[in-house]
Amino acid sequence: SSSSPYSTSLSLAMGQSNSSVFRPSARRGSRTPSPTSPADTAAQRPAPTGPTRAVNPLPAPTGTQLGLQYLCKSAGSTGLLSIVAPQTPVDSESNAQRAPIDLTLVIDRSGSMGTGKLAMVKRSITFILSQLNSGDRLALVSYDTNVRTDFELTACTEQEKVGMGAEVAAIRAGSATNLSGALQAGLQLQQKTTPDDVRNSVRSVFLLTDGLANAGLKTTPEIVKLVADAREQNSSVVVHTFGFGDDHNAEMLDAVAKAGGGEYMYVEKDENLGDSFAEALGGLASVVAQSISLTVSQPGGMARPRTQFPVVADGDGWRVDISDLYAEERRDVLVVMTEGVAKLRYYSIISSEWVNCELACTPRELTSDEAAAVDLSVAREATAAAMLQANEDAASGRLAEARQNLQGALAQAQAVDDCEDIRRLQLDLGECLDTLQTPADYQSKGSKKLKWMGGGHGKQRSRGTECAYTNSVQRSMKSAASAM
């Protein structure tokens, strides 16, 4: 309806034009990839319970493309740019329409994994195998002091799954932790081409460890460079990291995940591993867009946008780079401008094409729900920034300053109108405060939770916990994992 407050924003998702709001690029439907497109690098590509109130005024698009909206009540005040992914485009029963996956598992089998942890890992891999189909490919690298490629990327046919399952069952715990060598092997498997040079459009590495890198490359900068170099060759491969228990190096795993365009998952308890793997796999199974860039500008320049995503200067404005979007997800970026333009560019997994569009960013009177959406995003960004800053303070021995940062963000969240998302921010801030009582608390729990939760809220992506960022495919995967 033309009277709907969403009509101009949703018209972007539906591929329609409204000249007063956005102007799709003339090349929107072009299937000719740019020199740096994923089509080049990927070879031949075709919370808590209780009453809630809607605070996301831009619903998920009903088409196949992303929706874009700008909310700002007056020139010079904080505005909200939102990118919203469409509803899940797959049949959850058959997975018939989802993009095929190339997944490499890099699994720690050092002595500290023992029999209990390793048994949990094996069950989780068995679950992953059960969820992949013949269009997907799986590889496995396991490591202690020595790195072993248990099997290379292999189509997940029923016959091949039998052999892969036998390889998984044969894994035994060994000695030290050559994490860097294993990660490099896993990345190389993703780079390796077949005789037909066929690679799937969704490609990822899952790295799991319960300890510290004590063989091969050992420092964070060395290992991060290894990942960054691989991503320069192929930016479509996303690296997710899983830290098992309280003895791993969260700072390193978080940095590796950032360099790999992925997420760091803190697996606090053995029984949480299945959920973490299932949720990450559900994310891969629902990727709808990759290589997303949001450029915002106004004549004369503007302040840097507030977001946890990478931001680079771009003419009179800034470019925000986002690795990918899963179905039903949204990304909110806070900006301050008088009147400007937002440009969105991404590769659509659903329609196998590059999409370019523009949105005029003009202040207007907001509804109560729209104003609440801005307030929520401000509180969310403040929460993420406070958690990450608190981690830096605590790592330097400044526990009092770390607690003060979180308490300030908590007060800000408490000042926002109550809703389920706000209560989740408050609960997570309280949980992080509990890990900052003593240096020992911080080392064992806080150093992990602050990175884990801060990154999750900053990127609006679930990291192994049920929350507003979890989509329906991830929930379905987690339910299936629990039933095994």
Side-chain angles (χ1 to χ4, degrees):
S1 164
S2 59
S3 62
S4 167
Y6 317 133
S7 58
T8 55
S9 301
L10 287 181
S11 59
L12 171 64
M14 300 301 291
Q16 303 164 351
S17 175
N18 183 316
S19 59
S20 66
V21 179
F22 78 93
R23 297 172 296 282
S25 165
R27 294 204 316 258
R28 177 195 173 282
S30 172
R31 294 177 182 268
T32 302
S34 74
T36 57
S37 75
D40 292 328
T41 57
Q44 300 301 315
R45 175 210 299 271
T49 60
T52 63
R53 180 172 61 78
V55 293
N56 294 328
L58 179 61
T62 55
T64 61
Q65 307 301 351
L66 306 184
L68 182 64
Q69 183 185 54
Y70 177 68
L71 298 177
C72 184
K73 64 182 179 180
S74 61
S77 63
T78 298
L80 175 62
L81 266 171
S82 298
I83 307 169
V84 184
Q87 295 284 352
T88 304
V90 302
D91 178 341
S92 59
E93 295 297 322
S94 67
N95 286 335
Q97 298 178 49
R98 70 164 174 82
I101 298 167
D102 277 353
L103 174 61
T104 300
L105 303 177
V106 180
I107 302 300
D108 186 346
R109 56 175 167 82
S110 61
S112 59
M113 290 293 289
T115 55
K117 289 181 182 178
L118 202 53
M120 185 68 69
V121 170
K122 290 180 182 181
R123 284 197 294 273
S124 297
I125 297 175
T126 300
F127 168 74
I128 288 175
L129 269 173
S130 74
Q131 298 300 306
L132 298 177
N133 59 41
S134 58
D136 303 312
R137 297 192 302 169
L138 183 68
L140 177 63
V141 174
S142 62
Y143 65 99
D144 55 359
T145 304
N146 300 308
V147 176
R148 183 175 70 219
T149 298
D150 298 275
F151 50 86
E152 297 189 358
L153 282 170
T154 305
C156 294
T157 63
E158 292 306 311
Q159 181 178 355
E160 292 289 0
K161 284 182 180 181
V162 174
M164 289 188 276
E167 293 286 351
V168 170
I171 296 174
R172 298 290 183 269
S175 51
T177 308
N178 187 358
L179 184 149
S180 64
L183 180 56
Q184 185 171 35
L187 290 166
Q188 287 173 344
L189 288 177
Q190 288 285 347
Q191 308 288 358
K192 193 172 182 179
T193 60
T194 65
D196 296 328
D197 198 26
V198 174
R199 305 177 196 173
N200 284 331
S201 52
V202 177
R203 307 169 66 192
S204 187
V205 174
F206 287 3
L207 169 68
L208 181 140
T209 183
D210 74 333
L212 307 177
N214 53 25
L217 303 179
K218 301 181 182 67
T219 69
T220 297
E222 288 176 313
I223 298 174
V224 166
K225 184 178 185 303
L226 185 155
V227 177
D229 289 347
R231 288 267 292 175
E232 279 188 11
Q233 297 178 44
N234 195 321
S235 61
S236 65
V237 178
V238 175
V239 179
H240 298 294
T241 61
F242 300 77
F244 210 154
D246 294 336
D247 296 326
H248 65 273
N249 184 341
E251 183 269 336
M252 183 197 72
L253 291 185
D254 183 66
V256 166
K258 283 182 178 177
E263 316 302 325
Y264 157 62
M265 313 273 191
Y266 172 36
V267 185
E268 186 172 6
K269 300 176 181 177
D270 291 2
E271 58 267 27
N272 297 147
L273 179 61
D275 272 359
S276 296
F277 267 14
E279 188 170 283
L281 183 62
L284 297 184
S286 58
V287 173
V288 295
Q290 294 175 327
S291 300
I292 304 157
S293 65
L294 175 66
T295 304
V296 58
S297 63
Q298 70 175 7
M302 57 180 289
R304 185 183 190 277
R306 286 155 58 191
T307 177
Q308 298 302 317
F309 289 97
V311 178
V312 295
D314 189 290
D316 285 337
W318 304 85
R319 190 186 76 240
V320 180
D321 293 326
I322 300 170
S323 179
D324 56 23
L325 266 178
Y326 303 157
E328 304 166 30
E329 284 191 323
R330 62 184 294 123
R331 297 290 182 265
D332 296 325
V333 177
L334 298 171
V335 296
V336 176
M337 67 173 83
T338 302
E339 188 167 330
V341 175
K343 297 180 180 181
L344 182 65
R345 174 175 170 82
Y346 61 95
Y347 185 82
S348 171
I349 291 293
I350 302 173
S351 58
S352 300
E353 64 182 340
W354 281 98
V355 179
N356 299 275
C357 43
E358 293 185 6
L359 177 69
C361 299
T362 305
R364 61 175 173 81
E365 185 176 347
L366 304 182
T367 67
S368 59
D369 279 350
E370 289 172 336
V374 177
D375 290 342
L376 170 62
S377 193
V378 170
R380 179 193 55 75
E381 177 60 28
T383 294
M387 287 176 172
L388 298 176
Q389 182 59 52
N391 184 66
E392 290 186 19
D393 290 337
S396 300
R398 301 188 298 271
L399 286 181
E401 291 181 34
R403 290 192 295 268
Q404 187 175 9
N405 269 319
L406 297 187
Q407 288 162 348
L410 181 59
Q412 186 169 346
Q414 289 170 337
V416 176
D417 287 349
D418 183 52
C419 68
E420 187 173 357
D421 291 345
I422 283 295
R423 291 195 293 275
R424 169 54 63 189
L425 294 180
Q426 294 171 4
L427 285 175
D428 286 354
L429 284 163
E431 191 171 333
C432 286
L433 276 166
D434 288 342
T435 69
L436 293 175
Q437 301 308 305
T438 68
D441 290 336
Y442 167 72
Q443 289 299 330
S444 65
K445 299 289 186 182
S447 60
K448 285 80 176 173
K449 287 193 174 182
L450 288 165
K451 286 280 190 183
W452 179 47
M453 291 183 174
H457 287 303
K459 296 180 72 175
Q460 291 173 276
R461 176 159 285 178
S462 181
R463 295 187 169 191
T465 59
E466 182 64 32
C467 65
Y469 311 133
T470 310
N471 73 17
S472 57
V473 178
Q474 292 171 310
R475 286 191 291 271
S476 177
M477 283 281 188
K478 289 169 73 170
S479 177
S482 298
M484 282 194 69

